[in-house]
Amino acid sequence: MRKFWLIGSLLAALGTGFVALLVVGVFVVAGNLTGGGAGRATGLAKGSVPAAYQALVQKWGNLCPALTPALLASQLYQESGFNPRARSAAAAEGIAQFIPSTWATHGVDGDKDGVRDVWNPADAIPSAASYDCELASYVKNVPGDRSANMLAAYNAGPDAVIRYGGVPPYSETRNYVQTIRGLEESFSAPAGRLQPSEQAAAAISYAQGKLGTPYLWGGTGTAAQRGRFDCSGLTQAAYESVGIDLPRVANDQYNAGPHPGRDELLPGDLVFFSDDLSNSRAIRHVGIYVGGGYMIDAPRTGAVIRFDPIDTPDYFGATRVTRAAAAALPEPGESESLRPVDEDREAEKAKEEAKGQERTEAKGSTGADGGDVDAKGVEARQGGGSEAGGGAAVAGGRSGAASSSPGAVALAGAASGPRRAD
């Protein structure tokens, strides 16, 4: 019954156009996905941990029963965003954010080089796991979830966990435990089939309503930006429309839920692209899957929001957004490794264009593309050439708002021309 309710809501939101047929068709074919749920896996999701640290997290994440590689990964991500040079205002240091006094007591020489170095992940990651498991041993007789008790002991101390018989009633501690556990599923390799997202239809409907809108690097759809988006700005706005707050940048959006395989994709899943297929922190582009091997995305400067195929050499993977995982993600700026804008390389392009413009003006010439860049490197205004020509970037593309049924012409034309600023 649940499956048919979901399909009905998709039809209501999307109408009977081409996208609706794709969405419903994919849900029908994948109907068996509703029959199971993911258990707690011990393996890591593809590329969720940077390749340089994956073996360490996999090894040390199995140090004790209360810990898993995915749980350890979620801790490291929450603490530093996998930044080995991170330093907090409270003087916490390194990828695992040890304060000096805790490191002096619990630091481990993980790589056996005779030095305990908080800035060296080969020492800091084993130290984090060892400290977690030491705390788990202190609270092993406390009733309740052993992993939650371990995390609570990490935040509030084992005495508080023992005294309260579980996670103590401190808001900071409960939020910490909820955050780490909420992130855990985004680092786990799914142990079973994933449930479809009930928010998928409305998120797709939002993105579909933006078809034909010119791309703007750094764009989040504000009135000042004339409703334009970059890739992660579009996906953020689409899920904000259904009450789910996603991070601003694409590589953090990858951590907003579990990761279906290519053959398990459903409409509404976020799909990601990268030049480094072993590291989610290198992701530079994101779109919203609509079925049939296509997504809606904001590709690059000079193009418009459109349909594009996902099966390209830089396809990284997908995320099925969940409210719990999205809510657990750090706020922008909490980690020094988080970047304030999109990961699709437009930053470097904008800087180069700005330098080229300065050189041209120094020679007494005028620019050719008509665009200008503000002091932050974010393109503040697309010139007439970019906007007027945006619809020509794809055969059948349009420069205005699209109807609810884009049709086969726009879809067929999506494959022509470069898709992203690769």
mmCIF file of all heavy atoms in Angstrom, residues 23-56:
data_model
loop_
_atom_site.group_PDB
_atom_site.id
_atom_site.type_symbol
_atom_site.label_atom_id
_atom_site.label_comp_id
_atom_site.label_asym_id
_atom_site.label_seq_id
_atom_site.Cartn_x
_atom_site.Cartn_y
_atom_site.Cartn_z
ATOM 1 N N VAL A 23 9.897 8.848 -13.574
ATOM 2 C CA VAL A 23 9.889 8.635 -12.130
ATOM 3 C C VAL A 23 9.049 7.422 -11.766
ATOM 4 O O VAL A 23 9.480 6.531 -11.034
ATOM 5 C CB VAL A 23 9.367 9.897 -11.406
ATOM 6 C CG1 VAL A 23 9.132 9.611 -9.935
ATOM 7 C CG2 VAL A 23 10.349 11.040 -11.569
ATOM 8 N N VAL A 24 7.820 7.381 -12.272
ATOM 9 C CA VAL A 24 6.937 6.274 -11.935
ATOM 10 C C VAL A 24 7.499 4.960 -12.462
ATOM 11 O O VAL A 24 7.494 3.935 -11.778
ATOM 12 C CB VAL A 24 5.522 6.525 -12.485
ATOM 13 C CG1 VAL A 24 4.643 5.302 -12.274
ATOM 14 C CG2 VAL A 24 4.899 7.729 -11.789
ATOM 15 N N GLY A 25 8.040 4.987 -13.688
ATOM 16 C CA GLY A 25 8.606 3.771 -14.256
ATOM 17 C C GLY A 25 9.731 3.214 -13.424
ATOM 18 O O GLY A 25 9.798 2.015 -13.162
ATOM 19 N N VAL A 26 10.597 4.095 -12.960
ATOM 20 C CA VAL A 26 11.720 3.629 -12.151
ATOM 21 C C VAL A 26 11.238 3.093 -10.810
ATOM 22 O O VAL A 26 11.722 2.084 -10.315
ATOM 23 C CB VAL A 26 12.749 4.761 -11.964
ATOM 24 C CG1 VAL A 26 13.820 4.346 -10.972
ATOM 25 C CG2 VAL A 26 13.388 5.106 -13.298
ATOM 26 N N PHE A 27 10.249 3.749 -10.188
ATOM 27 C CA PHE A 27 9.740 3.252 -8.920
ATOM 28 C C PHE A 27 9.067 1.896 -9.078
ATOM 29 O O PHE A 27 9.173 1.031 -8.215
ATOM 30 C CB PHE A 27 8.743 4.246 -8.306
ATOM 31 C CG PHE A 27 9.404 5.209 -7.362
ATOM 32 C CD1 PHE A 27 9.675 6.506 -7.743
ATOM 33 C CD2 PHE A 27 9.765 4.808 -6.090
ATOM 34 C CE1 PHE A 27 10.279 7.386 -6.876
ATOM 35 C CE2 PHE A 27 10.380 5.689 -5.211
ATOM 36 C CZ PHE A 27 10.633 6.977 -5.607
ATOM 37 N N VAL A 28 8.365 1.693 -10.188
ATOM 38 C CA VAL A 28 7.710 0.407 -10.396
ATOM 39 C C VAL A 28 8.744 -0.693 -10.574
ATOM 40 O O VAL A 28 8.676 -1.760 -9.967
ATOM 41 C CB VAL A 28 6.778 0.473 -11.619
ATOM 42 C CG1 VAL A 28 6.307 -0.919 -12.005
ATOM 43 C CG2 VAL A 28 5.576 1.357 -11.306
ATOM 44 N N VAL A 29 9.754 -0.413 -11.406
ATOM 45 C CA VAL A 29 10.806 -1.409 -11.625
ATOM 46 C C VAL A 29 11.535 -1.715 -10.326
ATOM 47 O O VAL A 29 11.906 -2.855 -10.050
ATOM 48 C CB VAL A 29 11.807 -0.898 -12.690
ATOM 49 C CG1 VAL A 29 13.028 -1.796 -12.754
ATOM 50 C CG2 VAL A 29 11.118 -0.841 -14.047
ATOM 51 N N ALA A 30 11.714 -0.690 -9.502
ATOM 52 C CA ALA A 30 12.462 -0.855 -8.250
ATOM 53 C C ALA A 30 11.546 -1.095 -7.063
ATOM 54 O O ALA A 30 11.928 -0.864 -5.930
ATOM 55 C CB ALA A 30 13.323 0.392 -7.993
ATOM 56 N N GLY A 31 10.360 -1.561 -7.314
ATOM 57 C CA GLY A 31 9.405 -1.746 -6.240
ATOM 58 C C GLY A 31 9.901 -2.655 -5.140
ATOM 59 O O GLY A 31 9.513 -2.516 -3.983
ATOM 60 N N ASN A 32 10.771 -3.584 -5.488
ATOM 61 C CA ASN A 32 11.261 -4.491 -4.455
ATOM 62 C C ASN A 32 12.153 -3.781 -3.444
ATOM 63 O O ASN A 32 12.477 -4.322 -2.399
ATOM 64 C CB ASN A 32 12.042 -5.653 -5.076
ATOM 65 C CG ASN A 32 13.277 -5.184 -5.835
ATOM 66 O OD1 ASN A 32 13.336 -4.048 -6.285
ATOM 67 N ND2 ASN A 32 14.235 -6.067 -5.996
ATOM 68 N N LEU A 33 12.543 -2.529 -3.730
ATOM 69 C CA LEU A 33 13.373 -1.797 -2.770
ATOM 70 C C LEU A 33 12.601 -1.503 -1.487
ATOM 71 O O LEU A 33 13.200 -1.275 -0.444
ATOM 72 C CB LEU A 33 13.857 -0.468 -3.374
ATOM 73 C CG LEU A 33 14.776 -0.568 -4.582
ATOM 74 C CD1 LEU A 33 15.274 0.822 -4.935
ATOM 75 C CD2 LEU A 33 15.956 -1.487 -4.304
ATOM 76 N N THR A 34 11.285 -1.466 -1.558
ATOM 77 C CA THR A 34 10.519 -1.142 -0.362
ATOM 78 C C THR A 34 10.410 -2.324 0.579
ATOM 79 O O THR A 34 9.909 -2.198 1.673
ATOM 80 C CB THR A 34 9.095 -0.696 -0.752
ATOM 81 O OG1 THR A 34 8.429 -1.782 -1.420
ATOM 82 C CG2 THR A 34 9.138 0.508 -1.659
ATOM 83 N N GLY A 35 10.922 -3.460 0.188
ATOM 84 C CA GLY A 35 10.739 -4.658 0.994
ATOM 85 C C GLY A 35 11.750 -4.847 2.084
ATOM 86 O O GLY A 35 11.606 -5.737 2.902
ATOM 87 N N GLY A 36 12.796 -4.043 2.143
ATOM 88 C CA GLY A 36 13.823 -4.283 3.154
ATOM 89 C C GLY A 36 14.396 -2.999 3.663
ATOM 90 O O GLY A 36 14.143 -1.930 3.149
ATOM 91 N N GLY A 37 15.200 -3.102 4.691
ATOM 92 C CA GLY A 37 15.868 -1.937 5.248
ATOM 93 C C GLY A 37 17.319 -2.245 5.493
ATOM 94 O O GLY A 37 17.710 -3.400 5.624
ATOM 95 N N ALA A 38 18.124 -1.208 5.556
ATOM 96 C CA ALA A 38 19.556 -1.389 5.751
ATOM 97 C C ALA A 38 19.848 -1.671 7.210
ATOM 98 O O ALA A 38 19.366 -0.988 8.104
ATOM 99 C CB ALA A 38 20.308 -0.133 5.301
ATOM 100 N N GLY A 39 20.627 -2.692 7.470
ATOM 101 C CA GLY A 39 21.076 -2.971 8.822
ATOM 102 C C GLY A 39 22.329 -2.169 9.119
ATOM 103 O O GLY A 39 22.755 -1.342 8.332
ATOM 104 N N ARG A 40 22.919 -2.401 10.275
ATOM 105 C CA ARG A 40 24.118 -1.667 10.645
ATOM 106 C C ARG A 40 25.331 -2.360 10.048
ATOM 107 O O ARG A 40 25.703 -3.456 10.454
ATOM 108 C CB ARG A 40 24.229 -1.577 12.163
ATOM 109 C CG ARG A 40 25.305 -0.587 12.594
ATOM 110 C CD ARG A 40 25.324 -0.424 14.081
ATOM 111 N NE ARG A 40 26.354 0.551 14.444
ATOM 112 C CZ ARG A 40 26.875 0.625 15.641
ATOM 113 N NH1 ARG A 40 26.472 -0.181 16.595
ATOM 114 N NH2 ARG A 40 27.803 1.522 15.915
ATOM 115 N N ALA A 41 25.921 -1.732 9.065
ATOM 116 C CA ALA A 41 27.043 -2.336 8.355
ATOM 117 C C ALA A 41 28.359 -1.965 9.029
ATOM 118 O O ALA A 41 28.465 -0.971 9.734
ATOM 119 C CB ALA A 41 27.055 -1.857 6.908
ATOM 120 N N THR A 42 29.376 -2.788 8.801
ATOM 121 C CA THR A 42 30.700 -2.486 9.334
ATOM 122 C C THR A 42 31.629 -1.938 8.265
ATOM 123 O O THR A 42 32.668 -1.376 8.579
ATOM 124 C CB THR A 42 31.348 -3.749 9.945
ATOM 125 O OG1 THR A 42 31.439 -4.765 8.944
ATOM 126 C CG2 THR A 42 30.517 -4.243 11.111
ATOM 127 N N GLY A 43 31.275 -2.123 6.986
ATOM 128 C CA GLY A 43 32.106 -1.620 5.909
ATOM 129 C C GLY A 43 31.845 -0.154 5.639
ATOM 130 O O GLY A 43 30.850 0.425 6.078
ATOM 131 N N LEU A 44 32.767 0.487 4.915
ATOM 132 C CA LEU A 44 32.644 1.891 4.565
ATOM 133 C C LEU A 44 32.033 2.046 3.183
ATOM 134 O O LEU A 44 32.309 1.262 2.274
ATOM 135 C CB LEU A 44 34.014 2.558 4.590
ATOM 136 C CG LEU A 44 34.702 2.647 5.950
ATOM 137 C CD1 LEU A 44 36.149 3.108 5.775
ATOM 138 C CD2 LEU A 44 33.951 3.600 6.871
ATOM 139 N N ALA A 45 31.210 3.064 3.029
ATOM 140 C CA ALA A 45 30.650 3.375 1.720
ATOM 141 C C ALA A 45 31.772 3.811 0.787
ATOM 142 O O ALA A 45 32.770 4.403 1.213
ATOM 143 C CB ALA A 45 29.608 4.475 1.841
ATOM 144 N N LYS A 46 31.584 3.553 -0.487
ATOM 145 C CA LYS A 46 32.581 3.875 -1.500
ATOM 146 C C LYS A 46 33.013 5.337 -1.420
ATOM 147 O O LYS A 46 32.193 6.249 -1.508
ATOM 148 C CB LYS A 46 32.016 3.600 -2.891
ATOM 149 C CG LYS A 46 32.898 4.096 -4.023
ATOM 150 C CD LYS A 46 32.134 4.155 -5.339
ATOM 151 C CE LYS A 46 32.933 4.899 -6.393
ATOM 152 N NZ LYS A 46 32.160 5.104 -7.626
ATOM 153 N N GLY A 47 34.319 5.539 -1.240
ATOM 154 C CA GLY A 47 34.884 6.876 -1.301
ATOM 155 C C GLY A 47 34.477 7.808 -0.186
ATOM 156 O O GLY A 47 34.840 8.980 -0.209
ATOM 157 N N SER A 48 33.716 7.331 0.815
ATOM 158 C CA SER A 48 33.224 8.244 1.847
ATOM 159 C C SER A 48 34.339 8.772 2.733
ATOM 160 O O SER A 48 34.227 9.862 3.301
ATOM 161 C CB SER A 48 32.157 7.546 2.706
ATOM 162 O OG SER A 48 32.681 6.384 3.335
ATOM 163 N N VAL A 49 35.398 8.003 2.869
ATOM 164 C CA VAL A 49 36.586 8.430 3.614
ATOM 165 C C VAL A 49 37.713 8.643 2.611
ATOM 166 O O VAL A 49 37.907 7.815 1.713
ATOM 167 C CB VAL A 49 36.992 7.359 4.650
ATOM 168 C CG1 VAL A 49 38.301 7.723 5.333
ATOM 169 C CG2 VAL A 49 35.883 7.162 5.671
ATOM 170 N N PRO A 50 38.448 9.746 2.694
ATOM 171 C CA PRO A 50 39.564 9.954 1.763
ATOM 172 C C PRO A 50 40.481 8.731 1.709
ATOM 173 O O PRO A 50 40.755 8.093 2.734
ATOM 174 C CB PRO A 50 40.281 11.175 2.345
ATOM 175 C CG PRO A 50 39.196 11.934 3.046
ATOM 176 C CD PRO A 50 38.289 10.887 3.613
ATOM 177 N N ALA A 51 40.933 8.406 0.521
ATOM 178 C CA ALA A 51 41.712 7.186 0.306
ATOM 179 C C ALA A 51 42.924 7.108 1.236
ATOM 180 O O ALA A 51 43.304 6.016 1.672
ATOM 181 C CB ALA A 51 42.160 7.111 -1.154
ATOM 182 N N ALA A 52 43.518 8.249 1.558
ATOM 183 C CA ALA A 52 44.712 8.252 2.406
ATOM 184 C C ALA A 52 44.425 7.723 3.807
ATOM 185 O O ALA A 52 45.332 7.249 4.494
ATOM 186 C CB ALA A 52 45.279 9.667 2.493
ATOM 187 N N TYR A 53 43.144 7.786 4.232
ATOM 188 C CA TYR A 53 42.802 7.386 5.595
ATOM 189 C C TYR A 53 41.887 6.170 5.642
ATOM 190 O O TYR A 53 41.562 5.685 6.731
ATOM 191 C CB TYR A 53 42.114 8.544 6.324
ATOM 192 C CG TYR A 53 42.788 9.874 6.133
ATOM 193 C CD1 TYR A 53 42.055 11.002 5.758
ATOM 194 C CD2 TYR A 53 44.159 10.013 6.305
ATOM 195 C CE1 TYR A 53 42.672 12.224 5.571
ATOM 196 C CE2 TYR A 53 44.785 11.229 6.122
ATOM 197 C CZ TYR A 53 44.039 12.337 5.745
ATOM 198 O OH TYR A 53 44.658 13.545 5.556
ATOM 199 N N GLN A 54 41.473 5.668 4.502
ATOM 200 C CA GLN A 54 40.460 4.612 4.485
ATOM 201 C C GLN A 54 40.935 3.344 5.198
ATOM 202 O O GLN A 54 40.205 2.748 5.987
ATOM 203 C CB GLN A 54 40.054 4.287 3.043
ATOM 204 C CG GLN A 54 38.916 3.277 2.974
ATOM 205 C CD GLN A 54 38.319 3.180 1.585
ATOM 206 O OE1 GLN A 54 38.685 3.929 0.689
ATOM 207 N NE2 GLN A 54 37.402 2.255 1.403
ATOM 208 N N ALA A 55 42.152 2.915 4.916
ATOM 209 C CA ALA A 55 42.657 1.691 5.542
ATOM 210 C C ALA A 55 42.769 1.857 7.058
ATOM 211 O O ALA A 55 42.473 0.931 7.823
ATOM 212 C CB ALA A 55 44.012 1.315 4.948
ATOM 213 N N LEU A 56 43.203 3.026 7.497
ATOM 214 C CA LEU A 56 43.303 3.286 8.935
ATOM 215 C C LEU A 56 41.932 3.226 9.609
ATOM 216 O O LEU A 56 41.763 2.614 10.665
ATOM 217 C CB LEU A 56 43.929 4.657 9.172
ATOM 218 C CG LEU A 56 45.434 4.799 8.968
ATOM 219 C CD1 LEU A 56 45.841 6.267 8.935
ATOM 220 C CD2 LEU A 56 46.199 4.060 10.075
#
